[in-house]
Amino acid sequence: ETGVTQSPTHLIKTRGQQVTLRCSSQSGHNTVSWYQQALGQGPQFIFQYYREEENGRGNFPPRFSGLQFPNYSSELNVNALELDDSALYLCASSLGTSSGGRNTQYFGPGTRLTVL
Amino acid sequence: AQSVTQPDIHITVSEGASLELRCNYSYGATPYLFWYVQSPGQGLQLLLKYFSGDTLVQGIKGFEAEFKRSQSSFNLRKPSVHWSDAAEYFCAVGTPNTGNQFYFGTGTSLTVIP
């Protein structure tokens, strides 16, 4: 059983550019959630995808968008990068979706994005 | 709105000593409560979770946590800390009214000295 994997590990972009981060969910998991973790902060929920549809979104602007593919892998896209987008981006997969996060989420190691 | 507070930004304990990490939440009803640990370069690993029932929850790596409704707290404890426990610890809250969203605290960094 493979765990959650994310790519790339590190990424450096300049302000105004666009970035795509990738996540492969744990085998058998059909739900993927994305989080942003700024330095010294706890993760903040960006959005969740379940069966290729967005299934909940946190307080992030529309320039943060996502996709989920039939194999349940997922992408996070961020347009018009700002300096404050510099953070660790975490992906978590789970089986099914339920209210309040009762289904255990398994996290990947994250992608460190630096915006200059 | 729901919120999670971890009052201690950083804690230092000696190896073998006991540990308690504090977590307080703000929510009108009983939330779903979680503790995660994050080591450098690693993702978050679930230590334990509480949904209902027995208020003392056992987790992995010898950790336990106690839900106290009257204090809106869910403190993490370990009787004897090992050097490998040095990491960042996050408390998280999920609620039936917030869909699939988790709210994380800002974390407590644990240093273990020999």
Side-chain angles (χ1 to χ4, degrees):
Chain A
E1 181 180 279
T2 57
V4 179
T5 60
Q6 293 185 243
S7 63
T9 305
H10 296 89
L11 202 53
I12 299 175
K13 292 286 188 179
T14 57
R15 197 169 41 181
Q17 285 189 311
Q18 178 265 342
V19 69
T20 298
L21 309 181
R22 294 177 175 84
C23 172
S24 292
S25 59
Q26 185 163 316
S27 178
H29 286 183
N30 55 11
T31 302
V32 173
S33 302
W34 286 92
Y35 294 82
Q36 180 195 65
Q37 186 179 14
L39 199 61
Q41 301 295 316
Q44 289 197 6
F45 176 75
I46 302 175
F47 44 56
Q48 182 182 89
Y49 277 81
Y50 172 62
R51 292 183 176 178
E52 303 179 54
E53 297 286 334
E54 187 177 292
N55 184 45
R57 187 179 183 94
N59 189 26
F60 280 81
R63 60 189 185 85
F64 286 78
S65 63
L67 282 174
Q68 188 179 32
F69 300 100
N71 67 353
Y72 304 129
S73 66
S74 177
E75 287 182 354
L76 165 65
N77 299 288
V78 186
N79 294 321
L81 283 168
E82 301 176 0
L83 297 179
D84 286 347
D85 295 333
S86 294
L88 180 68
Y89 288 84
L90 295 165
C91 163
S93 75
S94 58
L95 180 60
T97 176
S98 63
S99 180
R102 285 180 66 102
N103 293 334
T104 299
Q105 297 190 42
Y106 296 85
F107 284 81
T111 293
R112 173 75 61 187
L113 173 65
T114 301
V115 182
L116 302 177
Chain B
Q2 293 77 17
S3 66
V4 182
T5 302
Q6 293 181 246
D8 304 304
I9 297 174
H10 185 244
I11 284 182
T12 299
V13 298
S14 299
E15 192 168 15
S18 64
L19 171 71
E20 182 169 28
L21 303 182
R22 296 183 290 165
C23 173
N24 293 96
Y25 65 89
S26 171
Y27 181 60
T30 301
Y32 306 136
L33 297 161
F34 307 80
W35 274 99
Y36 283 87
V37 61
Q38 185 177 36
S39 299
Q42 303 291 319
L44 296 166
Q45 181 183 24
L46 179 68
L47 289 174
L48 46 78
K49 57 188 176 183
Y50 174 79
F51 296 153
S52 63
D54 191 347
T55 57
L56 185 62
V57 180
Q58 301 298 320
I60 62 171
K61 303 185 178 186
F63 285 94
E64 66 177 27
E66 185 172 13
F67 169 60
K68 293 186 177 180
R69 183 190 306 274
S70 61
Q71 299 177 18
S72 297
S73 69
F74 188 58
N75 294 347
L76 182 70
R77 301 194 295 246
K78 186 169 185 178
S80 177
V81 170
H82 188 263
W83 64 266
S84 61
D85 293 325
E88 190 86 18
Y89 291 80
F90 292 95
C91 180
V93 168
T95 75
N97 295 335
T98 56
N100 304 295
Q101 185 163 177
F102 271 14
Y103 296 89
F104 281 86
T106 52
T108 297
S109 177
L110 174 65
T111 297
V112 180
I113 55 178

